[in-house]
Amino acid sequence: MRMLFMGPPGAGKGTQAALVADHFSVVHLSTGDIFRASVAAGTELGVTAKRYMDAGEYVPDSVTNAMVRARLGESDVIRGFLLDGYPRTVDQVAELDDILTDLGTKLDGVVVLQVDLEELITRLLERARTSGRTDDTEDVIRHRQQVYAEQTAPLLALYTERGLVFEVDGRGTVDEVAERIWGAIAPTADES
Ligand code: AP5
């Protein structure tokens, strides 16, 4: 299984990708999580990433693409992977296409979670009370939504043209959304 999880900040990409990855015993690869781990470890990558993350901006494509290429070259992704939060730009889509060609494989699908803006803001403000994420302030949360709308939402048309998109209503409980995802991807997952 090789899938992307896409959707605006707070849509539940991380929550749902973790459940699906666990079920299929494939790697859950979240670029946001890798950046946060790098920040915590104080690596050069972390120092670079933190400047952009704290502002709610995307980390430069050159940095992000190199990181994903390296990670997808590791042996544990052979069984499959779920990419959560990548690609987010036109350049990242092109890089992922190249990586997949180099690996001799292709995507099975793109799960797109849809949640309205006010619910997204509510969820992230709620998380802000406990997460310690420096990008979960109201201003940055709203800016992240704007960056997503401008740079990432237009990419969905491209994956739709390729016939890969499963649009899923991301509202309701975590279990309800998981059920919908399962219903959408089960036929594809059975084939892979
Ligand atoms: P990233 O960590 O990916 O953050 P994000 O895209 O802003 O997404 P979130 O983690 O906020 O939300 P999510 O959709 O994963 O939802 P989640 O399951 O967590 O990226 C952070 C930053 O890293 C970016 O801003 C950028 O700077 C950088 N970055 C990352 N990838 C990059 C890339 N490809 N290129 C360049 N830069 C990149 O859920 C959110 C909250 O809602 C949680 O509290 C959760 O418990 C709750 N929740 C989930 N589902 C439900 C539900 N059904 N009902 C109620 N609450 C729910």
Side-chain angles (χ1 to χ4, degrees), residues 8-15 31-33 35-36 52-53 56-59 64 84-86 88 92 119 123-124 127 133 135 144 170 172-174 177:
K13 302 181 293 295
T15 304
T31 41
D33 284 351
F35 286 136
R36 275 184 293 280
Y52 296 95
M53 294 170 84
E57 297 288 342
Y58 288 163
V59 178
T64 309
D84 152 15
Y86 182 93
R88 295 192 199 215
Q92 291 180 18
E119 168 73 11
R123 285 184 188 179
L124 295 180
R127 182 174 67 188
R133 267 181 65 160
D135 59 349
R144 282 158 57 205
T173 66
V174 169
V177 178

Side-chain angles (χ1 to χ4, degrees), residues 15-53:
T15 304
Q16 297 295 338
L19 294 174
V20 176
D22 192 46
H23 181 87
F24 288 101
S25 301
V26 296
V27 173
H28 170 204
L29 210 166
S30 155
T31 41
D33 284 351
I34 298 176
F35 286 136
R36 275 184 293 280
S38 305
V39 172
T43 63
E44 199 180 325
L45 173 64
V47 172
T48 304
K50 184 170 168 47
R51 275 193 291 144
Y52 296 95
M53 294 170 84

Side-chain angles (χ1 to χ4, degrees), residues 144-180:
R144 282 158 57 205
Q145 301 296 338
Q146 218 177 334
V147 170
Y148 174 85
E150 287 168 9
Q151 297 193 46
T152 306
L155 306 178
L156 302 180
L158 200 149
Y159 285 118
T160 302
E161 271 172 31
R162 296 183 188 182
L164 288 172
V165 167
F166 301 104
E167 287 190 9
V168 174
D169 182 352
R171 296 168 304 171
T173 66
V174 169
D175 285 350
E176 285 167 347
V177 178
E179 278 289 314
R180 287 182 208 126

Side-chain angles (χ1 to χ4, degrees), residues 11 21 39 56-57 60 66 68 75 89 110 131 156 171 173 188:
V39 172
E57 297 288 342
V68 172
S75 57
T89 65
V110 178
S131 71
L156 302 180
R171 296 168 304 171
T173 66
T188 306

